[in-house]
Amino acid sequence: GSEMCIRDSIFSSMSTRAAEMVRDDLENLGPVKVSDVEAAQQKIIKVVKKLEEDGTIVIAGAGGGDVV
């Protein structure tokens, strides 16, 4: 689905170190319910979309602009 694409673009727009830290945090959470993961993804997507609308961030490939 589109969630994977968004997550990948978030990771790719982060520095490698930041992306690794987030991945480590996700792995250290251990087992989580799918519903919790989906709820968290929806929150992230809402925040990302708001930041994008505000011009705070530019998601690579979304607008064709330069990656910040």
Side-chain angles (χ1 to χ4, degrees):
S2 60
E3 286 85 11
M4 284 301 287
C5 181
I6 291 172
R7 191 179 78 178
D8 290 345
S9 66
I10 291 170
F11 279 136
S12 67
S13 65
M14 289 180 177
S15 69
T16 306
R17 186 183 152 107
E20 282 174 9
M21 285 169 56
V22 172
R23 283 198 183 100
D24 287 346
D25 287 346
L26 292 172
E27 286 170 12
N28 290 335
L29 288 173
V32 291
K33 291 187 297 210
V34 172
S35 59
D36 291 345
V37 172
E38 288 173 351
Q41 284 179 338
Q42 292 306 314
K43 283 183 190 167
I44 292 169
I45 291 167
K46 280 181 187 158
V47 170
V48 169
K49 284 184 178 169
K50 179 167 181 6
L51 291 172
E52 195 176 19
E53 284 169 14
D54 293 347
T56 307
I57 61 169
V58 176
I59 296 179
D66 294 333
V67 178
V68 178

